[in-house]
Amino acid sequence: MTDIATPTTGEAPRPAPQDGPSAPRRSYAKLAADESREDYSLRYAPHSFRRWSPSMVAGTALGGIAYLADFAIGASIVFTYGFTSGFASILAAAAIIFLTGIPIARACAKYGLDMDLVTRGAGFGYFGSTLTSLIYASFTFIFFALEGSIMAQAMHQAIGLPVEAGYLITTLIVIPIVFRGMGALAKVQAWTQPVWIIGMVLPFVVLAFEAPDSWGAFSSFGGTEGAGSGFSWVAFGLGTGVALSLIAQIGEQADYLRFMPARTEANKRRWNLAVLAAGPGWVVIGAAKQIGGAFLAFVALEAVGRTHALEPIAPQIEALKPWLGSFALPAAAVFVIVSQVKINVTNAYSGSLSWSNFFSRITHKHPGRVWYIFLNLAIALTLMEMNMFAALNKLLGFYSNVGIAWIVAVAADLVINKRIGLSPRYIEFKRAYLHAVNPAGFGAMVIASTVSILAFFGLFGRYAEAFSTFIAAGLSLVLCPLIAWLTKGKYYLARPNPVNGPDVEVPDITATHSCAVCEIAYELPDIADCPVRQGPICSLCCSLDAECGDVCRKDPGNGPVSLPMPTMRTPGAPPTPVTP
């Protein structure tokens, strides 16, 4: 697989300010300035950087879902709630995740933006999305810790390494890969894919020959806690809540999808299929893995006991023993370690992006994405040492109430608000054009997650507790367009963007403009007009400016601009072409 090279862009001369303050040239820290590692972590991914084919992007994105937490989650759900309720809850969660993931995946791929930047323009506002950055960061370190625990269990089983030491090794091993960015991640995903596919399929092939009646017994399994084999609405609701904790996985898929090439007439079928497969399509494989993991755990239950059956390494060994004998242990260990490296490089990478977005807005500083790798991994290591694996269901059930409120609010804005004109048709992510907080998405998420968390802790009765995630999803879906309608959509844009507006035709958005602050050229979607600097300013320099006082948002008519500003046209009128 080809490395993604740093784009080469010519630098135009810095515009000379006419009046007002002039900013000294900003020089980014070495790591922040190296886009081969930085990967445009806080900004729009330019077309010059998006050099992969749709199938290559999709393959890399799907390589990141090799994780075995699905095995543990599926086994935990079925062991706790029985096969019938557990199976139904896994399918219901998958359907919700798939439907909400479609518009988000398409938006990220179309606009070259990660989940945080899409969230800003999809109803949350510039500072409103800082809360979702924390939610997303917590997703990455919770699941890094979960996956790391599974890898440590495999190393303990294979070579007797104490799990505490295994936690440290699983944390350190991903750093060199994640440090190098998308190019290294792409290579790791491609090279390890054959081993992962063989390891994933082989146990089920063995059981199909050696224990053909086991699936029938599994389908009548009543769990290990007396739930019974029949259907229970309470068990269904609780199980769905656990499975829905994976809904924020679309953010990690988006971190790859933002590098999708532009959709054209020539590639539109491949583009659409790749976005569908690598975006919401991950959950099809994920749901199959949850059911498959529960099946392997059920088969191994009598031999290893409930505790070890929930650890993916033990069922893997038991399934391989009839064919591999003494080689079952090393073969299973290699599969588990490869799987966990594949997902944890993604968890660490996405966590570094999320923390970068959070701290850049709070501190107006950006030392580089790579430094936040260490913060994310330190938190994950702490969770592992605290044995978070033992409280899996409760932790994931709680998290899903917040995660689904966020994701559904974003999806509601993209599907409903933008289509009926309550929000701009395009995704505006730049600070210069956004209100600090948009009550449409942010308010919907806060209200929905608050009510659902109260329900989760039993305040509204047993059924509300079981269906707390459905409450979160329903409230977000209704409140986001309702609040946008009540506020007449006025909190989406602090001022109009005359270049990126939906009624403007710009011949070449890939044309570059030199930022008046850092003097580096960026493509037009990453550029704003700045009345303080009296020239173009890139989105990151705009975010890091701590002295401008948000003049452009408080007084949109303040000061001249040097960007080519096209004449706005009314819908249906001939477009006014603009030469950037």
Side-chain angles (χ1 to χ4, degrees):
M1 187 167 291
T2 307
D3 280 340
I4 302 178
T6 303
T8 55
T9 56
E11 294 189 12
R14 179 182 176 183
Q18 299 172 2
D19 298 298
S22 171
R25 182 182 184 279
R26 173 178 283 117
S27 295
Y28 288 108
K30 183 178 180 180
L31 291 175
D34 182 359
E35 292 298 351
S36 65
R37 288 184 171 90
E38 187 66 7
D39 287 338
Y40 294 88
S41 62
L42 299 181
R43 57 168 93 241
Y44 159 84
H47 287 85
S48 58
F49 197 74
R50 294 186 247 167
R51 296 174 177 174
W52 287 349
S53 67
S55 58
M56 292 175 75
V57 175
T60 304
L62 288 174
I65 64 164
Y67 53 87
L68 297 183
D70 273 335
F71 278 29
I73 291 171
S76 180
I77 291 172
V78 172
F79 277 25
T80 304
Y81 306 114
F83 173 83
T84 304
S85 299
F87 184 79
S89 65
I90 290 171
L91 294 185
I96 294 171
I97 292 172
F98 187 88
L99 292 175
T100 56
I102 293 173
I104 294 173
R106 291 185 65 86
C108 292
K110 178 180 179 180
Y111 293 102
L113 305 175
D114 66 17
M115 190 67 202
D116 179 81
L117 301 186
V118 168
T119 300
R120 291 185 196 179
F124 282 74
Y126 182 72
F127 275 106
S129 64
T130 55
L131 180 57
T132 64
S133 292
L134 285 178
I135 295 171
Y136 184 33
S138 65
F139 173 86
T140 64
F141 62 66
I142 286 172
F143 278 89
F144 187 103
L146 178 56
E147 307 295 349
S149 297
I150 292 171
M151 191 193 300
Q153 292 161 4
M155 290 189 289
H156 174 71
Q157 191 96 353
I159 60 175
L161 183 73
V163 289
E164 291 78 10
Y167 296 153
L168 181 60
I169 292 174
T170 62
T171 302
L172 297 177
I173 197 172
V174 304
I175 293 176
I177 303 169
V178 182
F179 195 86
R180 295 185 60 191
M182 280 293 296
L185 266 66
K187 289 180 179 178
V188 167
Q189 301 297 0
W191 293 344
T192 56
Q193 201 72 343
V195 174
W196 180 79
I197 291 173
I198 294 171
M200 177 62 66
V201 173
L202 187 57
F204 298 99
V205 174
V206 174
L207 290 177
F209 283 95
E210 301 296 332
D213 298 330
S214 54
W215 179 262
F218 177 56
S219 63
S220 60
F221 180 51
T224 58
E225 299 182 18
S229 58
F231 180 80
S232 162
W233 282 107
V234 170
F236 167 74
L238 291 170
T240 304
V242 175
L244 278 173
S245 63
L246 292 164
I247 195 167
Q249 175 65 32
I250 189 61
E252 295 197 346
Q253 304 306 112
D255 289 338
Y256 293 101
L257 287 172
R258 65 196 175 107
F259 297 119
M260 191 70 71
R263 182 176 179 269
T264 64
E265 281 299 315
N267 73 0
K268 65 180 181 181
R269 287 188 178 180
R270 288 181 291 116
W271 192 95
N272 288 332
L273 181 60
V275 170
L276 187 67
W282 77 266
V283 79
V284 176
I285 301 172
K289 286 163 58 188
Q290 288 177 44
I291 296 168
F295 173 61
L296 292 180
F298 166 76
V299 173
L301 180 60
E302 186 175 342
V304 303
R306 185 184 189 280
T307 299
H308 290 300
L310 293 176
E311 301 170 357
I313 180 67
Q316 194 85 6
I317 295 169
E318 292 301 313
L320 295 176
K321 274 182 179 179
W323 283 13
L324 300 185
S326 61
F327 290 101
L329 173 56
V334 168
F335 168 67
V336 172
I337 291 170
V338 167
S339 298
Q340 303 316 90
V341 169
K342 283 170 74 67
I343 180 55
N344 266 355
V345 294
T346 298
N347 281 328
Y349 178 77
S350 294
S352 70
L353 297 180
S354 187
W355 284 119
S356 296
N357 274 296
F358 175 77
F359 282 109
S360 68
R361 278 168 289 174
I362 299 299
T363 66
H364 295 288
K365 297 181 185 301
H366 180 56
R369 172 192 67 82
V370 296
W371 293 110
Y372 294 110
I373 297 170
F374 301 102
L375 171 63
N376 210 51
L377 296 186
I379 298 173
L381 180 59
T382 301
L383 288 177
M384 283 188 275
E385 298 291 356
M386 292 171 61
N387 192 23
M388 64 152 285
F389 195 84
L392 184 63
N393 273 8
K394 275 293 182 185
L395 178 64
L396 299 184
F398 172 80
Y399 176 82
S400 64
N401 288 281
V402 182
I404 196 170
W406 162 38
I407 296 297
V408 171
V410 173
D413 183 85
L414 295 173
V415 174
I416 301 173
N417 296 4
K418 292 193 181 302
R419 295 200 176 192
I420 64 177
L422 291 174
S423 69
R425 292 270 180 172
Y426 72 105
I427 306 287
E428 182 55 77
F429 67 94
K430 296 182 284 293
R431 172 191 180 186
Y433 302 107
L434 293 173
H435 284 283
V437 176
N438 185 343
F442 182 80
M445 183 195 74
V446 170
I447 295 171
S449 58
T450 300
V451 173
S452 66
I453 288 172
L454 293 175
F456 175 78
F457 284 109
L459 189 65
F460 307 127
R462 180 62 171 161
Y463 278 91
E465 177 185 350
F467 286 88
S468 63
T469 50
F470 288 86
I471 293 172
L475 285 176
S476 266
L477 184 63
V478 172
L479 288 175
C480 183
L482 177 61
I483 296 173
W485 177 73
L486 290 173
T487 57
K488 302 185 183 338
K490 66 180 181 180
Y491 291 101
Y492 279 91
L493 295 177
R495 60 175 177 137
N497 183 343
V499 170
N500 291 93
D503 296 322
V504 178
E505 182 176 307
V506 179
D508 184 12
I509 64 169
T510 65
T512 59
H513 295 262
S514 183
C515 174
V517 179
C518 67
E519 298 183 357
I520 299 174
Y522 294 98
E523 290 181 5
L524 186 59
D526 202 42
I527 291 290
D529 59 287
C530 180
V532 175
R533 308 306 174 195
Q534 297 191 358
I537 187 170
C538 71
S539 62
L540 183 52
C541 284
C542 182
S543 290
L544 301 182
D545 196 328
E547 301 174 355
C548 68
D550 292 320
V551 170
C552 60
R553 295 191 298 188
K554 295 174 182 175
D555 183 7
N558 181 19
V561 297
S562 60
L563 274 181
M565 294 292 116
T567 303
M568 297 296 287
R569 64 182 176 91
T570 56
T576 303
V578 178
T579 303

